[in-house]
Amino acid sequence: MIVDKTTRNKIRLQSTVFQALFLLMMGVMAWFSQLYSVSIDLTKNQRNSLSPESIRLVQSLEQPLKVTIFATPSNEMGGILNLLFQRYQDQQPLIQVETLNPDLYPELLRQYNIQQDAEIIIEYQDRSEKISLATESQVTNSIQRLLRQGERWVVFLQGHGERNPYSDANHDFSEFATRLASQGYTIENLNLTEVSSIPQNTDVLVIASPQVPLLSGEVDLLKNHIEKGGNLLWLADPGTIISPIDRLADALAIEFLPGIIVDPNSQLLGLDRVDFALVAEYPRHPITQNVASLSLYPQTQAIEYHGDETQWQPLNFLVSGDSSWNETGELKGEIHNGDDADEINGPLNIGLTISRSTVGTSIEDNFGSLQQRIAIVGDADFLSNNYLGNGANIELGLNLFNWLSHDDNLISISPRAAPDTRLELSQTQQVIIAIIFLILLPLLMVGLGLRIWLKRRSR
């Protein structure tokens, strides 16, 4: 073939056109890769992908959801969390993720009560949730709670000197009520003298330490609420169990022990008093399963359950320390354990839950759940404006309401096992591999080397 000038020009033109088309194709592919992300999870159990439940949930979002990760640059969890939320972003472009160095944003730390490195704030339509140990299950449940605006009604009993969720006084609950509202709860007050029954859409009824006696008819309404399967939180300060509300305690088969719990360990916090109970270790309970910090309970009383455990299932979730006791004398001068016959050594129950199934019972399930849940705490101050910021008080309070409103079981996503991260070989397979790699392969390499050497030498 004779290559003349014309032929060379054609070849050069073809090469130029090919290069231009190739670059154009690469540019188009890069553009599509920005518009559409495609990933393939080749792990055996698809453990690097979101579960179908999480995918369905995030695809139902109609408004932007903001995720803020407070992680220092040296914390490797920051990268791990970004990978986790990237999976959510791949399924829903409305999810926005931002990582902030907590050392540079002290005002946000105060605003969101950030206490640990790598904590996460999820915000949706002026509501927010905080996550400390992020897993897919926790993230998905948090998103689910944020989507449930207006569906969970928390009703506070009023009219007897109870703690008020709308008052800024030190002993009231306005700060905690604000936190509840940010998680989608609707907060209302209720005066039983103005109604003939407790509203059926009440998810959690709260009795926050009434200071004056209730009317007998009001106690009847409370008992009727329980008989119909309603959920209840009873915060009872020492000295507030006065007739006729003691009938409610009898109906629940609970007893409030006399006196105030004294805990010498409270002085470790620099407190100049011993009538503050510290809780450092928590019994196994859904309310406390992720709580790792101390919590503080000012002037609390102990609770015991004496009912039939075939009717109610009791579980303790707050227990005082071993060195505590219930002091029945005056808290003046030197205080000694055991100087009164009614005093009992710790640990003592501060928080108790009782629950029962509403299936197959005479209870009318007017409250939309298959399990009735009641929690009793021997102290109301731990959620007050004055003490809410101590230790894990906020976290415990939020967990308590999530459990009472059945939000602890929104979506159960089990961690996927990783069976393909471990190679198990039989003894025969191990021997075969050893012969191949330790004997045959080295002999083959030596033989090839000798063959090449001999062939070159013969030249």
Side-chain angles (χ1 to χ4, degrees):
M1 178 180 179
I2 299 175
V3 179
D4 55 12
K5 184 177 180 180
T6 302
T7 304
R8 285 195 296 271
N9 290 335
K10 289 181 178 180
I11 295 173
R12 190 177 295 113
L13 178 62
Q14 290 175 353
S15 177
T16 303
V17 171
F18 173 79
Q19 293 176 8
L21 291 175
F22 180 78
L23 293 174
L24 178 62
M25 183 181 66
M26 291 294 101
V28 171
M29 292 178 64
W31 179 62
F32 273 106
S33 69
Q34 295 295 320
L35 293 178
Y36 308 100
S37 62
V38 178
S39 61
I40 302 176
D41 189 355
L42 298 178
T43 55
K44 186 172 183 179
N45 283 356
Q46 302 293 299
R47 62 183 179 276
N48 292 322
S49 303
L50 293 182
S51 64
E53 295 88 352
S54 296
I55 294 174
R56 285 195 298 268
L57 177 67
V58 298
Q59 288 180 346
S60 68
L61 291 174
E62 298 179 354
Q63 300 293 329
L65 183 141
K66 182 179 178 182
V67 177
T68 305
I69 303 171
F70 290 90
T72 56
S74 60
N75 192 335
E76 61 181 11
M77 281 299 299
I80 296 174
L81 293 174
N82 275 290
L83 289 176
L84 172 62
F85 285 104
Q86 182 62 50
R87 300 172 194 168
Y88 286 88
Q89 288 182 298
D90 292 340
Q91 301 295 332
Q92 176 55 269
L94 290 174
I95 297 179
Q96 307 165 1
V97 181
E98 183 180 19
T99 302
L100 299 179
N101 184 348
D103 296 335
L104 303 179
Y105 297 91
E107 69 283 357
L108 293 181
L109 300 187
R110 292 189 294 270
Q111 178 182 345
Y112 295 114
N113 192 33
I114 301 299
Q115 298 179 354
Q116 302 176 18
D117 199 358
E119 286 192 315
I120 301 163
I121 298 296
I122 302 179
E123 298 175 277
Y124 185 76
Q125 293 186 343
D126 299 325
R127 303 186 304 280
S128 65
E129 282 220 358
K130 183 175 72 171
I131 304 176
S132 297
L133 301 173
T135 62
E136 180 189 345
S137 179
Q138 289 178 321
V139 171
T140 300
N141 282 330
S142 294
I143 296 174
Q144 175 81 328
R145 282 192 288 267
L146 292 174
L147 290 175
R148 294 186 61 191
Q149 182 179 15
E151 295 185 5
R152 294 174 295 170
W153 289 78
V154 176
V155 177
F156 283 79
L157 185 66
Q158 295 292 301
H160 318 88
E162 295 92 346
R163 312 299 177 99
N164 193 327
Y166 294 110
S167 172
D168 295 329
N170 287 340
H171 62 278
D172 284 322
F173 286 177
S174 62
E175 292 186 15
F176 183 68
T178 300
R179 296 298 298 270
L180 286 176
S182 72
Q183 293 202 4
Y185 289 94
T186 300
I187 312 297
E188 290 292 342
N189 283 336
L190 176 67
N191 192 323
L192 292 179
T193 61
E194 300 174 354
V195 296
S196 58
S197 64
I198 295 171
Q200 291 189 2
N201 65 340
T202 301
D203 289 289
V204 182
L205 176 66
V206 182
I207 305 175
S209 190
Q211 302 300 306
V212 297
L214 277 70
L215 301 176
S216 180
E218 293 177 310
V219 175
D220 290 338
L221 290 179
L222 295 176
K223 291 178 63 177
N224 186 54
H225 173 78
I226 294 172
E227 290 171 358
K228 289 185 176 181
N231 301 320
L232 173 70
L233 172 60
W234 188 0
L235 306 175
D237 287 325
T240 60
I241 309 302
I242 49 181
S243 182
I245 202 172
D246 54 357
R247 290 167 41 205
L248 185 61
D250 293 338
L252 298 175
I254 59 173
E255 177 188 1
F256 294 90
L257 299 185
I260 295 175
I261 293 179
V262 166
D263 188 356
N265 288 332
S266 62
Q267 296 180 347
L268 296 176
L269 296 180
L271 300 173
D272 191 22
R273 49 194 302 177
V274 294
D275 56 345
F276 281 50
L278 281 180
V279 175
E281 296 182 1
Y282 301 92
R284 189 173 182 178
H285 196 287
I287 295 173
T288 59
Q289 62 181 349
N290 294 318
V291 179
S293 304
L294 297 169
S295 52
L296 181 67
Y297 303 88
Q299 294 191 322
T300 183
Q301 59 184 334
I303 311 164
E304 289 185 352
Y305 177 74
H306 298 293
D308 184 356
E309 295 192 8
T310 62
Q311 299 294 324
W312 290 97
Q313 180 184 2
L315 282 175
N316 302 320
F317 69 96
L318 294 174
V319 178
S320 64
D322 294 340
S323 60
S324 64
W325 73 91
N326 63 317
E327 177 60 47
T328 58
E330 292 188 12
L331 296 176
K332 295 180 180 179
E334 293 187 5
I335 303 172
H336 300 282
N337 182 9
D339 53 5
D340 192 300
D342 291 333
E343 295 178 357
I344 302 174
N345 293 330
L348 299 170
N349 301 327
I350 297 174
L352 169 72
T353 63
I354 56 175
S355 60
R356 62 180 174 183
S357 172
T358 59
V359 178
T361 69
S362 60
I363 299 173
E364 300 178 15
D365 188 16
N366 292 335
F367 296 88
S369 66
L370 297 178
Q371 187 185 60
Q372 182 182 13
R373 296 179 172 182
I374 295 176
I376 307 99
V377 183
D379 174 48
D381 283 318
F382 81 105
L383 294 181
S384 68
N385 298 332
N386 198 32
Y387 297 104
L388 185 63
N390 287 279
N393 286 22
I394 292 179
E395 186 177 2
L396 274 165
L398 294 176
N399 289 353
L400 182 57
F401 277 86
N402 286 336
W403 181 81
L404 286 167
S405 59
H406 295 267
D407 276 356
D408 59 320
N409 293 319
L410 282 174
I411 299 177
S412 179
I413 302 172
S414 301
R416 294 183 176 92
D420 53 350
T421 60
R422 183 177 179 181
L423 180 62
E424 295 184 358
L425 300 174
S426 66
Q427 187 174 2
T428 302
Q429 291 171 327
Q430 294 178 30
V431 171
I432 293 173
I433 291 175
I435 292 173
I436 292 174
F437 286 94
L438 298 179
I439 300 175
L440 296 182
L441 188 58
L443 288 176
L444 178 62
M445 298 301 294
V446 171
L448 289 174
L450 287 173
R451 185 174 181 274
I452 294 172
W453 179 73
L454 290 173
K455 190 171 183 180
R456 288 180 177 178
R457 187 180 179 186
S458 65
R459 292 177 183 176

